[in-house]
Amino acid sequence: MVILKQADWVSYQLLANSCYRAARKMRSYGFLLKNPSQRSLQQQAQLFPNVSKCSLENRGSDTLVCDIHGGLLRTSSFFPYFMLVAFEGGSIFRAFLLLLSCPLLWVLDYELQLRVMIFITFCGLRIKDIESVGRAVLPKFYLENLHLQAYELWASTGSRIVFTSVPRVMVEGFLKEYLRVNKVMGTELHTVGNFFTGLLSNSGLLVKHRALKDVLGDKTPEIGLGSSSLDDHLFISLCKEAYVVDREENKNSGSSSVMTRDKYPKPLIFHDGRLAFLPTPLATLLMFMWLPLGFMLAIFRLLVGVVLPYKLALFLGTQSGVEIELSVKSCDPPAKSAGHKRGVLYVCSHRTLLDPVILSLSLGKPLTAVTYSLSKMSEIIAPIKTVRLSRERKRDGETMQRLLSEGDLVVCPEGTTCREPYLLRFSSLFAELADEIVPVAINTRVSMFYGTTASGLKCLDPIFFFMNPRPCYQIHILEKLPTELTCAGGRSSCEVANYIQKQLANVLGFECTTLTRKDKYMMLAGNAGVVQ
C-alpha cells in the first residue's frame, strides 16, 4: 500500500500537475497576445541595454555579478552540460536515461526541470568523479560557448561573483581556473559519504536575487549581467548598472559573439572526456542512433587492420570511411648511409595510440613502436610489434638501440597524446640513439568521439576513434634530418629534440610548449599516468 501511494503521488506530481502547468503556460501565452498591458510586463526585461553597449573603461574597481548560463555563455540551455556529466562522470546508460527524460522536461517548469535533471545526473555518483569532470571535461565546452562581449565586460572588472541555480560543483572548477572568479554561489547537493544522492541540500535551489542580498547585504554591486528573462530582470535590477545578453540583437546587427581560441582567458591545452561535440538533445539523439552501426563499423575497421595485408587493409579502411591524408616531402624512401645497417627512426607527434599503426599502413612496411604506457589489450590487438619502455633512461636507451639494430622504429617523444593544437616537450633520448631520423607530423580529426583518454579505459581508445563516421588522419612525412643537425654533427640531444619539435609544429600550425606527460595526467586524472 505504501508503494502504491508513493507511485500515485509521483504520477500526480510529474504528470497531472506538470500537464496542468503546461496548459496554464499555453493559456497565459494566448492571454498575453490579447492583453498588451500584461505583455508589456515581459517587455520590461528589454529595457536594459545590450552588453555590447557597456563602456569598458575605468572598471577596475567595479564589482560584477552574473549567472554563467544566459550571462557569460552564448546559449542559456544547461541540458548539454548535464548530459556531459551524465555521460562522462556516469555511464552511457545514465546518459540515455537523461535523454529519455526530455519530453517530460519540456512540460515541467524551471524548478522541476532542474530537480529532475539533477537527480538523474548525480544520483549515486562519486564526488571525486564529478569534480574530475568539472575540472577536465566541462571547461572545453564552456570556453567554446563563451560570449565575447560578455567576457570583455567580465575581464574589465575588478571583482566578480557568479550566482547560478545549477549545482556549484559543475561550474566552480571552470570559473576559478579560467575566469578567476572571486566567489561562486550555486545550488548545493545532498551527499552521503563520498556519493551524491541526487537530492538538493536543505537550502534547495539557489534563488539569485535572494543570494545576492545574503552575500552582499546592503552593498550594491556596480554591474549586473544577465539574460532578458524575467528572473534575471529581478536579479540584475539590484545593481547600479544592468546589461543583458540579447542574442537576437547580436544576430540582427551582425556582430559576432563567438570567442576565438586566441582570445581565451587561458590556453586550453589539456581536456578529457569521450564526446567531441556539444550534446544538445538532438545531437545526443543522433549519437545514440549511430552507436549500434558505429560499434560494428569500429570492429570491422579494427579486424581489417589486424588480419589483412597492408595494401588491402588500407583500401578497405578508406572504403569504410577512414580518411588518410598522406603528404611526403621526399618521393624516395629515406636513404641509409653507406654501410649503415641500422633501421630508420621515425619521430612523430602523438595524437592517438594508432599513430604507429596508421604510419605503418601508409608506408606499407612493418614498423616497431615503443610506448611508455599501453594496455595489455592494445598490445594484443596491435598489428605491429610494440615494446613497452620502463622510464629508466639507461635501460630504455638500450632497448631502443636493440630495436633499431633489428629494423625501423617509431617513437613519439611527447610521451603522451594531446588533442589541441599544441606539442608537448620532446624527450631528448631518441636523439642520442640514431643519426637516421625522419620527422613525421601527425594530426587527427574526429566529429563524435575522442580516441584518447586520461582517466578512462585506454583499451577502448581505438574503438572510440573508429566509431566516428569519418575519422581522419593527416600524416606529413618530412625529409630526413641532415647529419649536421644530429648529435653526430655536434648538436646536443636537447637541441635536436627542440629543433624537431619546432619543425613539426610549423608543419601542423601548432604551438610548442614545455609541458610534459606528468603535467597532463596530474591535471586531468590526479596521477602520473602510468599503467600498471
Side-chain angles (χ1 to χ4, degrees):
M1 290 302 297
V2 172
I3 294 175
L4 289 175
K5 289 181 180 180
Q6 290 293 330
D8 179 68
W9 181 85
V10 170
S11 300
Y12 171 77
Q13 290 292 331
L14 296 184
L15 296 178
N17 194 32
S18 300
C19 292
Y20 173 68
R21 289 174 183 272
R24 287 185 61 188
K25 289 180 182 178
M26 298 294 291
R27 186 181 66 177
S28 63
Y29 177 73
F31 177 70
L32 288 175
L33 293 178
K34 298 179 182 180
N35 195 333
S37 62
Q38 292 292 330
R39 189 167 64 245
S40 64
L41 293 176
Q42 290 191 351
Q43 293 175 344
Q44 288 181 5
Q46 304 297 333
L47 296 178
F48 297 114
N50 193 319
V51 63
S52 60
K53 295 180 172 58
C54 177
S55 173
L56 304 181
E57 297 181 359
N58 302 320
R59 296 290 190 181
S61 60
D62 290 354
T63 297
L64 180 144
V65 297
C66 69
D67 187 357
I68 182 172
H69 294 279
L72 290 176
L73 302 183
R74 287 183 287 114
T75 57
S76 57
S77 173
F78 38 70
F79 176 88
Y81 306 100
F82 278 96
M83 178 58 70
L84 285 167
V85 175
F87 188 93
E88 307 290 1
S91 65
I92 191 172
F93 303 105
R94 186 184 296 267
F96 185 65
L97 181 60
L98 182 59
L99 178 65
L100 291 180
S101 70
C102 281
L104 176 63
L105 296 175
W106 186 81
V107 300
L108 299 179
D109 63 6
Y110 177 80
E111 181 176 343
L112 277 177
Q113 279 183 4
L114 270 177
R115 287 179 177 271
V116 171
M117 281 194 289
I118 288 172
F119 182 80
I120 295 175
T121 302
F122 287 90
C123 181
L125 293 185
R126 293 191 303 175
I127 298 175
K128 178 183 177 181
D129 293 338
I130 302 303
E131 290 176 345
S132 176
V133 172
R135 181 182 65 252
V137 178
L138 293 178
K140 171 187 182 295
F141 298 93
Y142 283 138
L143 282 173
E144 291 177 348
N145 203 20
L146 273 181
H147 192 285
L148 179 58
Q149 287 83 23
Y151 171 72
E152 289 175 345
L153 173 58
W154 171 276
S156 67
T157 57
S159 179
R160 311 161 188 119
I161 307 176
V162 171
F163 297 87
T164 180
S165 299
V166 302
R168 178 180 55 83
V169 69
M170 289 178 59
V171 299
E172 187 173 37
F174 164 72
L175 291 171
K176 291 192 172 181
E177 179 70 21
Y178 286 88
L179 297 187
R180 302 187 306 277
V181 67
N182 298 92
K183 192 175 184 63
V184 180
M185 297 296 296
T187 297
E188 300 294 339
L189 303 182
H190 183 260
T191 60
V192 174
N194 296 322
F195 295 86
F196 289 105
T197 63
L199 305 176
L200 306 184
S201 65
N202 294 334
S203 57
L205 283 177
L206 183 132
V207 181
K208 288 180 285 189
H209 65 277
R210 295 177 186 170
L212 175 60
K213 293 180 179 179
D214 293 339
V215 172
L216 297 181
D218 296 333
K219 182 181 178 181
T220 303
E222 283 75 18
I223 307 173
L225 179 63
S227 66
S228 55
S229 68
L230 291 178
D231 291 336
D232 277 10
H233 169 68
L234 180 60
F235 170 59
I236 62 179
S237 64
L238 301 175
C239 307
K240 296 178 182 178
E241 299 178 54
Y243 299 92
V244 296
V245 178
D246 192 338
R247 295 165 188 81
E248 293 300 325
E249 184 173 334
N250 286 330
K251 292 179 182 178
N252 297 334
S253 63
S255 61
S256 176
S257 61
V258 178
M259 194 165 181
T260 55
R261 179 181 293 274
D262 60 297
K263 295 181 180 179
Y264 282 179
K266 180 180 177 180
L268 177 68
I269 300 177
F270 300 130
H271 62 84
D272 204 11
R274 292 294 190 184
L275 297 183
F277 64 97
L278 185 67
T280 61
L282 178 59
T284 307
L285 176 62
L286 294 176
M287 178 197 72
F288 276 103
M289 294 173 63
W290 168 258
L291 274 179
L293 176 60
F295 181 75
M296 292 187 292
L297 192 59
I299 299 300
F300 170 77
R301 289 165 173 171
L302 284 172
L303 290 177
V304 162
V306 172
V307 177
L308 299 180
Y310 291 116
K311 290 186 178 180
L312 184 57
L314 188 61
F315 173 77
L316 291 178
T318 54
Q319 292 300 309
S320 70
V322 180
E323 299 181 27
I324 298 181
E325 301 174 3
L326 180 63
S327 171
V328 184
K329 278 200 172 182
S330 176
C331 296
D332 300 325
K336 298 180 182 179
S337 304
H340 201 285
K341 298 182 180 180
R342 290 165 58 82
V344 175
L345 181 63
Y346 291 92
V347 179
C348 307
S349 56
H350 202 9
R351 308 309 280 180
T352 76
L353 293 176
L354 296 167
D355 295 343
V357 176
I358 300 298
L359 178 60
S360 180
L361 289 174
S362 301
L363 293 174
K365 64 178 182 179
L367 301 174
T368 301
V370 292
T371 177
Y372 285 112
S373 183
L374 191 67
S375 68
K376 205 66 179 177
M377 178 61 68
S378 299
E379 289 187 64
I380 294 173
I381 67 174
I384 63 174
K385 181 180 178 181
T386 60
V387 178
R388 188 181 301 189
L389 300 180
S390 63
R391 295 189 182 276
E392 295 180 12
R393 189 176 183 86
K394 182 178 179 181
R395 182 178 172 186
D396 291 342
E398 294 172 351
T399 301
M400 294 173 67
Q401 287 279 19
R402 175 177 55 81
L403 295 173
L404 277 170
S405 65
E406 298 172 357
D408 296 340
L409 182 65
V410 182
V411 61
C412 300
E414 287 179 279
T416 187
T417 57
C418 184
R419 298 173 176 178
E420 298 302 313
Y422 298 94
L423 290 182
L424 307 186
R425 190 183 74 186
F426 276 28
S427 170
S428 61
L429 176 60
F430 73 90
E432 303 171 5
L433 307 175
D435 301 329
E436 304 284 336
I437 300 175
V438 177
V440 181
I442 294 180
N443 194 18
T444 59
R445 288 201 310 266
V446 296
S447 58
M448 191 171 291
F449 302 107
Y450 285 114
T452 62
T453 182
S455 56
L457 294 175
K458 294 183 181 296
C459 61
L460 298 180
D461 285 359
I463 294 178
F464 271 103
F465 179 80
F466 282 130
M467 280 176 63
N468 286 285
R470 295 188 67 84
C472 178
Y473 248 97
Q474 298 172 324
I475 302 178
H476 306 271
I477 302 177
L478 309 184
E479 293 180 350
K480 187 182 74 170
L481 206 64
T483 303
E484 59 269 19
L485 295 179
T486 65
C487 292
R491 303 279 183 166
S492 69
S493 59
C494 289
E495 288 177 324
V496 176
N498 291 339
Y499 175 79
I500 294 180
Q501 184 196 34
K502 291 177 183 178
Q503 193 179 23
L504 298 184
N506 291 335
V507 172
L508 296 171
F510 288 3
E511 183 178 338
C512 295
T513 73
T514 58
L515 299 172
T516 65
R517 174 192 179 91
K518 185 176 180 180
D519 295 326
K520 168 187 170 180
Y521 278 89
M522 289 303 296
M523 175 183 172
L524 299 183
N527 57 60
V530 179
V531 174
Q532 301 298 333

